């Protein structure tokens, strides 16, 4: 792997409009549709809470997750980022406990899986496969999830103690 890049880089982005009506434009110009939770935490919380007035989910958006510069998700794989972070934590825990885990994007048939292949892990989203070293990929994903749920607690005001406990349980398996 490239030693100059961090193993895992993530950014959680919330969708600015109510929904995406032109997926091609969204994929071509995501900066016109998304705002960063990390860069604008207060404004992102306002968007989330405002969206909850019209939708069952306030957290529609995209997770930019990269492993040594290789994207795990593509821009057209936007969804409920809160639910997706929950699924990622579950995949990490399942991989550590059983050597294999599978899940879907929240409310969608898009399958994600994480399984051991010899000494490496194979992370799959749909037909895309990314080989990862679990010893740096999993801690990076769990750290990113932890930061996201800290933001949710501090800015959205929702109790995230249950998922934080799941993150701690996964870390205990490392």
């Amino acid at each position: 792997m490239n030693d100059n890049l961090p193993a895992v880089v993530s950014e959680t982005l919330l969708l600015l409009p109510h929904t995406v009506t032109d997926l091609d434009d969204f994929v071509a110009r995501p900066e016109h549709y998304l705002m960063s939770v990390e860069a604008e935490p207060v404004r992102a919380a306002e968007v989330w809470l405002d969206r909850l007035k019209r939708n069952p989910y306030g957290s529609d958006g995209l997770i930019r997750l990269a492993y040594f510069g290789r994207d795990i998700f593509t821009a057209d794989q936007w969804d409920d980022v809160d639910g997706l972070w929950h699924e990622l934590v579950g995949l990490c825990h399942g991989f550590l406990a059983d050597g294999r885990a599978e899940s879907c994007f929240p409310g969608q048939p898009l399958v994600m899986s994480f399984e051991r292949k010899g000494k490496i892990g194979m992370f799959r989203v749909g037909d895309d496969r990314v080989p990862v070293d679990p010893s740096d990929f999993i801690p990076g994903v769990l750290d990113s999830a932890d930061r996201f749920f800290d933001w949710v607690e501090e800015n959205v005001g929702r109790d995230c103690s249950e998922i934080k406990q799941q993150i701690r349980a996964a870390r205990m398996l490392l």
Side-chain angles (χ1 to χ4, degrees):
M1 293 294 153
N2 184 338
D3 290 334
N4 296 327
L5 292 173
V8 175
V9 175
S10 72
E11 183 178 29
T12 303
L13 303 149
L14 292 183
L15 187 63
L16 287 169
H18 182 61
T19 191
V20 173
T21 56
D22 184 343
L23 186 57
D24 291 334
D25 190 52
F26 175 78
V27 170
R29 302 177 324 133
E31 67 279 0
H32 292 286
Y33 293 87
L34 299 164
M35 68 173 312
S36 172
V37 165
E38 292 85 0
E40 299 183 74
V42 173
R43 184 168 170 242
E46 291 168 356
V47 166
W48 178 313
L49 294 169
D50 182 61
R51 184 172 291 117
L52 277 176
K53 296 174 186 172
R54 296 183 303 276
N55 292 337
Y57 305 106
S59 65
D60 285 341
L62 175 70
I63 296 175
R64 286 192 176 140
L65 181 65
Y67 181 68
F68 286 106
R70 181 167 175 193
D71 290 331
I72 301 294
F73 302 119
T74 57
D76 62 338
Q77 294 169 333
W78 65 278
D79 204 324
D80 166 30
V81 294
D82 180 67
L84 194 50
W85 276 119
H86 275 83
E87 297 300 332
L88 287 167
V89 170
L91 285 168
C92 289
H93 187 276
F95 176 89
L96 291 167
D98 303 320
R100 185 178 198 309
E102 184 173 295
S103 185
C104 289
F105 269 56
Q108 294 190 42
L110 183 59
V111 175
M112 296 181 291
S113 66
F114 191 14
E115 65 183 308
R116 189 169 303 283
K117 296 284 186 184
K119 293 184 179 186
I120 67 162
M122 188 63 65
F123 196 91
R124 180 175 66 95
V125 179
D127 293 330
D128 296 329
R129 289 169 171 73
V130 179
V132 299
D133 179 343
S135 70
D136 55 19
F137 180 73
I138 292 173
V141 169
L142 295 176
D143 289 347
S144 296
D146 221 6
R147 282 191 303 275
F148 171 75
F149 291 113
D150 283 346
W151 173 83
V152 171
E153 285 185 325
E154 294 167 13
N155 293 276
V156 177
R158 201 180 75 213
D159 177 21
C160 295
S161 57
E162 187 175 313
I163 188 64
K164 301 282 262 175
Q165 176 56 38
Q166 292 173 23
I167 293 168
R168 284 189 296 277
R171 287 187 197 283
M172 291 178 64
L173 297 175
L174 286 171

